[in-house]
Amino acid sequence: MATLIQLKPQPFSFTGPVTAAAAAFAGLFVGTAQGSGLLGILLGAALGAALAWGLMQAPLPRRTMRWGIAASSALVGLLVGGTMGLIVGAAFGAFFGWFPLWIADGRYRAGLPPYLTPGEVLWHYAFRVICGLIFFFLIAPIVVVMPLSFNAENFFTFTPAMLSLDPAGYSLKHYEDFFGNSDWQAALRNSLTIAPVATLLAVSFGTLAAIGLSSEHVPFRQAIMAILISPMIVPLIISAAGMYFFYSRIGLQGTYVGVVLAHAALGIPFVIITVTATLVGFDRSLTRAAANMGANPVTTFFRVQMPLILPGVISGGLFAFITSFDEVVVVLFVGSASQKTLPWQMFIGLREQISPTILAVATILVCLSIALLTTLELLRRRSEKLRGMSPG
Amino acid sequence: MADAIDTNTGTTRADRRAEAADTGPVLASDGTPLKASLRRALRAQKLRALMLVAPLLVFILVTFVAPIADMLFRSVENQIVSQTLPRTTAELQGWESDSGDLPSEDTYRALLTDLTLAVAANTHTRLGSRLNYEQSGMSSIFRQTGRNIDDVAAPYLDNFEALDPRWVEPGTLAALMTDPDYFAAARAWREENPVGPFGGGATYDQPIRLNPGIGELLPSAAAIFRDWAEYVRVENSAVVGDEEPWSLFYLRLYQDLLNVSEADLGAYDGPQSDLLLETKRMLDQFQPVSIRDRFIEVDAGWGNPDIWATIKVYSPSYTSGYFLNAVDMQLNAEGVSMQPEDERIYGILFKRTMFMSLMITGSCILLGYPIAWLLANLPMRTANLLMILVLLPFWTSLLVRTSAWKVMLQQQGVINDILVWLGVVGDESRLIMINNQFGTIVAMTHILLPFMILPLYSVMQTIPPSYLRAAKSLGATPFTAFWRVYFPQSVPGIGAGSILVFILAIGYYITPEIVGGTSGTFISNRIAYHISSSLNWGLAAALGSILLGAVLILYWAYDRIVGIDNVKLGG
């Protein structure tokens, strides 16, 4: 589409005010932080307009000018705000070295339909900015937690030492606490024993049942499906309450077996859903072919069917694992102090506000979920390739 | 459906062959008719599929469905009153609670028996706490009465002692009531196993055997004597003849002696028969007292007809009381009525849960719609990259995200620090963004946002972008084109996402518990409170059942709109 559009250079009468407005906005933040917002706006606008004019008129190569602006802005930042100021200044400089020229060349209309009115172009970019803010909202908690977990102080906020990127402001002491504290280690051990067993139960029962359900001859298919999916639909607090009442009746409350059974039940819907979805693309004539060549049902299952649906089974297992590993409501009720899992320990820490070790644990868990997410994505692609679909 | 088609295909083919050959039914290779053979194969397939599903079905039924059923059952179950006070509740059937009178003397006697046995089994405090949920003060009445239960009928013991001091000798009584062989064996065992310095010691392993004739002569006294003897044998490691029985025994003995004729007593020749006969003859010197007055003396509450009315209302095995409590109503002698104005908390809590879930759903739509639109309209590669930003929070532990919001929103937290640094708020007037509704809504919007974006995205992907261009080329302004062409097509996505988010939101527990404080908590927090702190399990079960009902209705709607099979897990 870009080839259709004739990029039209914009005069200073347009570039100047746009740059000034953007710079005024930036100036507002710098200004309020330094004492006077109004002064910041005025200075920013003036600087922006001057910058735009300078960039458009100066005969120097553009690359040189951009580096020059970024470097000088970084220098000003360093003088005003130390290391952090250097970074912020460099970022501002890089942006304002690029922005006026992007406007002046008319490149901002590249990739857009040529018939858009200026208002629509403005809305297009405003919309992008709004989306950017929402993405920031989505990702901010995770981004904030990670650096805070390296805090040298026992605070839940950035210390001045951290903001000036002083190495003394950072430490691994919360991680050391996590790996050295017996409470946390016991919780980690519990989580690592309960989750795999629950996953194993969920995957073995769930895969068999999904294969059974994928047959066209199952009576009451809808009803059975509804029962099997129900642990996912019922709010956790209700499942937890019911399990607490029932398991204390039959003596399973406060035992490992009780917690494992409860977690397996919660994980089963995920296994059923993923494996059933994989089985939709499974070619049944393959099993018939195997049987035709003399394989018995068990061999057929393990040599033909299983390798093909394995990606689905593994991703179902990962879902079940993370369900158990991340679960806190049910274990709070069904378990007792000796089955305290990692989320439970975190929950206690959060409610009683004890230590920032929670942030270190949180960071470790985020890394774990990134690893899981990557695995799942790879599995999905592999599964689609196996089924002859193009990878999304 | 599929079965029918298969069978039909088989049948038609068989029929066709049969017509061609015209020699009766077509046979399979083993000689059976093809139709029967096919049916058998089909049945085998059906059975195999069921066998595969069965283990999981049983597993889920036991580990999940049974607990939910148990919860529903507990929300109406109320056997504790009739189990702990069986005789009293039976007597109360004939009492009119709105008459303003106290129940009959017989009822009080039944209460004495029930409570004596309940104190022995140590169940009276549990009953007291149960009834205390319905009428405050009940718990203390039961505890107070339980402590002094043996004093209630004490005047009868004193009367018997006045008639003949032998009545308070444990040995005499034991000889009168128990089988002579058993009595001798028990005393011999006691000689060999003396009571230790701190009491206790070994427990005699032979259950009590009563004197054969005494059960017919003094039926009610014999029955309570048996209960008492078994109680002291098992609980106190005592044997007959060690201790004095409950004073209730003497009340029963008095009544039995009144009823028995002198001729029958004269004909009895078991141990201590002369003592019985003498006492029967002196019975007119006996000064009976009212058990009702004694109860009122022990605790004035027993003189209050309201207490009795509450016991009567809650004596059936099943009650609607928990459900009524859960909707701020109460069940008492006058019937069903609203709770006093200042005790209506569940209505507020249900309304707040609804309101906050709606707010969360609304803000999820507001934030999720632009993102889904952007993702659906960007080139595939870019969209997949940005999708990571949506999926990463989705995959991050719930507690990690909740703790992150706690860190960011608190008064000394990151957001307040930035605002102070920017000079938007003063250092002394930091914003309170946590432990209130705002904190809960922000944190839960963040947590549930992916559940809105993913269904919206999958719906928007199916809307051809050419529709918008067509609308614009026909002269629509961008807004009209969006509102009249694009938006209506994306409504199913909004519906699916909203129901999903709403279902998840109204049952949330962890996040409101941590960032909700007191004003931002949900009904689920109240359920947890009743399970673990106030121990009013029935009310917790009733609240849970109402919540479950709401979720199931929503889920049914979700199934109608989206379909259960379309549940997607993170793209």
Side-chain angles (χ1 to χ4, degrees):
Chain A
M1 210 194 289
T3 49
L4 294 176
I5 299 164
Q6 195 75 48
L7 292 182
K8 197 173 74 187
Q10 300 288 340
F12 178 72
S13 57
F14 176 71
T15 314
V18 171
T19 317
F25 187 67
L28 171 68
F29 285 100
V30 179
T32 38
Q34 300 297 329
S36 164
L38 193 62
L39 200 65
I41 293 175
L42 292 177
L43 269 178
L47 267 175
L51 199 64
W53 190 80
L55 276 169
M56 288 171 78
Q57 302 300 321
L60 293 167
R62 287 182 162 184
R63 183 182 286 266
T64 323
M65 289 195 293
R66 287 183 62 179
W67 278 110
I69 291 168
S72 49
S73 164
L75 190 69
V76 174
L78 179 67
L79 294 177
V80 177
T83 322
M84 210 56 188
L86 177 82
I87 293 172
V88 173
F92 271 30
F95 178 76
F96 281 105
W98 162 81
F99 183 72
L101 292 174
W102 183 65
I103 298 286
D105 293 351
R107 268 183 291 155
Y108 63 94
R109 289 202 83 133
L112 292 180
Y115 50 78
L116 292 189
T117 61
E120 284 166 28
V121 174
L122 183 66
W123 166 244
H124 175 83
Y125 285 104
F127 183 74
R128 292 289 167 96
V129 171
I130 293 171
C131 285
L133 290 177
I134 300 173
F135 275 121
F136 180 71
F137 171 74
L138 271 169
I139 213 77
I142 299 172
V143 174
V144 166
V145 160
M146 283 191 165
L148 276 183
S149 70
F150 296 99
N151 198 339
E153 305 288 335
N154 283 340
F155 295 144
F156 281 106
T157 186
F158 291 99
T159 57
M162 290 183 89
L163 288 177
S164 60
L165 297 180
D166 181 357
Y170 293 84
S171 86
L172 289 173
K173 70 180 222 185
H174 302 310
Y175 291 86
E176 282 161 20
D177 185 38
F178 171 63
F179 287 106
N181 185 318
S182 60
D183 275 357
W184 284 105
Q185 285 306 298
L188 179 66
R189 247 194 326 276
N190 275 334
S191 277
L192 288 179
T193 32
I194 289 168
V197 183
T199 308
L200 197 69
L201 271 179
V203 168
S204 41
F205 281 136
T207 308
L208 282 186
I211 291 172
L213 279 175
S214 70
S215 148
E216 287 158 351
H217 308 297
V218 191
F220 315 116
R221 192 164 181 277
Q222 284 292 324
I224 293 178
M225 196 71 176
I227 292 177
L228 298 185
I229 304 283
S230 60
M232 197 170 81
I233 286 111
V234 174
L236 276 174
I237 184 73
I238 293 176
S239 313
M243 285 172 171
Y244 178 69
F245 295 145
F246 186 69
Y247 286 10
S248 39
R249 251 187 231 273
I250 58 175
L252 283 178
Q253 202 270 330
T255 63
Y256 277 101
V257 179
V259 177
V260 165
L261 289 182
H263 277 182
L266 293 182
I268 276 167
F270 297 98
V271 178
I272 294 276
I273 288 174
T274 47
V275 177
T276 320
T278 322
L279 280 168
V280 168
F282 179 74
D283 187 355
R284 292 196 160 265
S285 55
L286 289 176
T287 52
R288 282 201 285 273
N292 204 11
M293 292 181 202
N296 62 31
V298 178
T299 317
T300 313
F301 176 72
F302 280 108
R303 299 282 299 277
V304 178
Q305 197 165 14
M306 196 62 189
L308 283 171
I309 63 169
L310 194 62
V313 174
I314 295 181
S315 57
L318 285 179
F319 274 105
F321 182 84
I322 202 78
T323 307
S324 167
F325 200 73
D326 195 18
E327 207 291 318
V328 54
V329 187
V330 168
V331 77
L332 266 178
F333 287 94
V334 175
S336 65
S338 58
Q339 285 93 43
K340 196 183 282 178
T341 57
L342 211 49
W344 185 348
Q345 181 72 26
M346 284 181 83
F347 179 67
I348 295 174
L350 280 175
R351 217 166 35 172
E352 288 152 21
Q353 183 84 287
I354 43 168
S355 82
T357 308
I358 292 167
L359 299 184
V361 184
T363 308
I364 294 173
L365 288 182
V366 171
C367 295
L368 186 80
S369 41
I370 292 175
L372 278 179
L373 183 59
T374 319
T375 319
L376 273 177
E377 179 61 22
L378 293 178
L379 280 174
R380 192 179 64 87
R381 294 199 178 170
R382 188 181 138 78
S383 158
E384 286 186 350
K385 213 178 281 175
L386 279 178
R387 284 154 52 181
M389 301 176 183
S390 64
Chain B
M1 178 83 163
D3 309 353
I5 292 168
D6 275 14
T7 332
N8 285 344
T9 330
T11 319
T12 33
R13 199 179 297 153
D15 287 351
R16 228 181 293 127
R17 279 202 211 139
E19 274 168 19
D22 205 18
T23 52
V26 176
L27 301 183
S29 57
D30 58 350
T32 52
L34 186 60
K35 206 171 168 181
S37 170
L38 274 172
R39 208 182 304 129
R40 195 178 326 121
L42 200 66
R43 202 181 315 128
Q45 268 187 334
K46 226 182 215 179
L47 207 65
R48 210 180 61 190
L50 269 185
M51 292 286 282
L52 286 171
V53 180
L56 182 67
L57 199 60
V58 172
F59 183 85
I60 288 285
L61 285 178
V62 172
T63 58
F64 188 78
V65 179
I68 299 292
D70 188 25
M71 186 192 73
L72 295 177
F73 174 67
R74 268 181 204 267
S75 66
V76 291
E77 186 245 43
N78 187 44
Q79 285 162 352
I80 182 167
V81 182
S82 53
Q83 270 172 4
T84 318
L85 306 176
R87 299 164 190 82
T88 317
T89 48
E91 286 286 341
L92 276 176
Q93 293 309 313
W95 176 65
E96 293 293 329
S97 55
D98 47 3
S99 63
D101 299 333
L102 286 173
S104 63
E105 176 75 10
D106 284 346
T107 314
Y108 281 92
R109 289 195 182 146
L111 178 70
L112 177 61
T113 309
D114 286 337
L115 271 183
T116 307
L117 293 175
V119 170
N122 204 13
T123 52
H124 66 291
T125 47
R126 271 182 51 217
L127 177 65
S129 339
R130 162 67 188 99
L131 288 173
N132 205 52
Y133 301 139
E134 312 301 342
Q135 182 160 7
S136 51
M138 280 290 207
S139 182
S140 83
I141 292 179
F142 274 87
R143 227 175 298 124
Q144 171 76 8
T145 315
R147 266 197 299 272
N148 302 312
I149 193 66
D150 218 30
D151 292 352
V152 175
Y156 285 85
L157 186 148
D158 299 342
N159 263 310
F160 271 101
E161 192 177 10
L163 292 181
D164 193 324
R166 276 183 291 167
W167 278 116
V168 290
E169 290 167 15
T172 316
L173 273 178
L176 168 69
M177 301 304 290
T178 50
D179 184 86
D181 294 342
Y182 178 85
F183 180 60
R187 293 321 302 168
W189 179 85
R190 174 53 79 210
E191 295 297 317
E192 287 167 29
N193 302 280
V195 180
F198 306 108
T203 299
Y204 188 50
D205 60 351
Q206 294 295 318
I208 175 91
R209 284 204 310 279
L210 289 185
N211 198 344
I214 207 77
E216 288 162 32
L217 207 59
L218 309 169
S220 66
I224 205 70
F225 187 85
R226 177 196 292 276
D227 288 338
W228 167 79
E230 276 304 290
Y231 164 70
V232 292
R233 185 179 71 83
V234 175
E235 297 292 324
N236 295 3
S237 299
V239 289
V240 285
D242 283 357
E243 294 177 9
E244 203 173 87
W246 296 320
S247 59
L248 170 63
F249 170 78
Y250 292 95
L251 170 66
R252 293 275 186 103
L253 188 63
Y254 171 68
Q255 288 172 313
D256 281 348
L257 282 176
L258 275 184
N259 292 334
V260 75
S261 71
E262 221 174 299
D264 285 348
L265 271 182
Y268 180 68
D269 61 349
Q272 308 289 348
S273 54
D274 48 339
L275 174 64
L276 277 178
L277 198 58
E278 277 170 39
T279 311
K280 170 75 183 171
R281 285 183 183 138
M282 290 194 290
L283 219 51
D284 51 344
Q285 299 172 28
F286 208 93
Q287 293 160 339
V289 294
S290 156
I291 292 295
R292 181 197 288 172
D293 295 344
R294 293 292 301 159
F295 260 111
I296 295 171
E297 221 167 286
V298 166
D299 193 305
W302 294 114
N304 179 359
D306 289 350
I307 296 287
W308 284 101
T310 306
I311 294 178
K312 179 172 178 173
V313 166
Y314 285 92
S315 53
S317 299
Y318 298 96
T319 177
S320 57
Y322 290 125
F323 273 103
L324 291 173
N325 278 352
V327 291
D328 280 342
M329 293 164 107
Q330 57 186 356
L331 178 65
N332 49 23
E334 292 90 53
V336 177
S337 62
M338 290 301 287
Q339 296 269 22
E341 198 80 51
D342 53 331
E343 285 172 30
R344 294 181 197 166
I345 52 169
Y346 297 107
I348 297 173
L349 215 50
F350 273 115
K351 266 185 237 151
R352 186 200 288 161
T353 306
M354 285 290 161
F355 167 75
M356 289 181 56
S357 301
L358 282 175
M359 287 293 289
I360 291 160
T361 313
S363 35
C364 277
I365 296 175
L366 220 58
L367 297 182
Y369 200 92
I371 294 294
W373 195 87
L374 187 75
L375 288 176
N377 287 287
L378 279 178
M380 201 63 175
R381 287 186 71 86
T382 332
N384 276 349
L385 272 178
L386 286 178
M387 198 55 152
I388 294 176
L389 296 184
V390 178
L391 290 182
L392 187 60
F394 180 68
W395 272 97
T396 308
S397 165
L398 168 69
L399 276 161
V400 171
R401 289 186 278 166
T402 308
S403 45
W405 281 111
K406 182 154 184 155
V407 166
M408 298 210 301
L409 292 176
Q410 60 186 325
Q411 276 197 291
Q412 300 300 321
V414 175
I415 293 181
N416 262 314
D417 275 1
I418 291 176
L419 290 179
V420 168
W421 180 69
L422 284 178
V424 179
V425 297
D427 198 10
E428 63 293 330
S429 58
R430 283 168 175 259
L431 301 179
I432 299 166
M433 295 185 289
I434 203 167
N435 295 336
N436 55 19
Q437 299 200 353
F438 179 81
T440 310
I441 290 175
V442 169
M444 284 187 55
T445 301
H446 177 260
I447 287 165
L448 296 177
L449 192 49
F451 292 96
M452 178 64 80
I453 294 177
L454 295 174
L456 262 178
Y457 173 61
S458 62
V459 167
M460 285 184 181
Q461 262 186 322
T462 64
I463 306 176
S466 52
Y467 286 9
L468 263 186
R469 288 205 289 273
K472 278 184 197 162
S473 79
L474 291 172
T477 63
F479 178 76
T480 315
F482 168 77
W483 186 246
R484 301 278 300 277
V485 176
Y486 196 90
F487 184 77
Q489 296 184 80
S490 67
V491 165
I494 298 182
S498 305
I499 295 184
L500 195 59
V501 168
F502 193 79
I503 289 178
L504 289 168
I506 60 172
Y508 240 63
Y509 168 63
I510 293 295
T511 309
E513 181 76 16
I514 291 176
V515 298
T518 50
S519 66
T521 48
F522 282 18
I523 198 74
S524 45
N525 302 86
R526 198 71 194 170
I527 296 176
Y529 164 77
H530 280 307
I531 292 175
S532 50
S533 302
S534 83
L535 303 183
N536 190 350
W537 289 5
L539 182 55
L543 289 170
S545 304
I546 294 175
L547 186 58
L548 181 65
V551 168
L552 287 184
I553 290 172
L554 284 169
Y555 181 66
W556 174 79
Y558 183 83
D559 193 28
R560 291 296 297 273
I561 296 173
V562 195
I564 180 172
D565 294 336
N566 288 354
V567 185
K568 289 226 175 69
L569 297 169

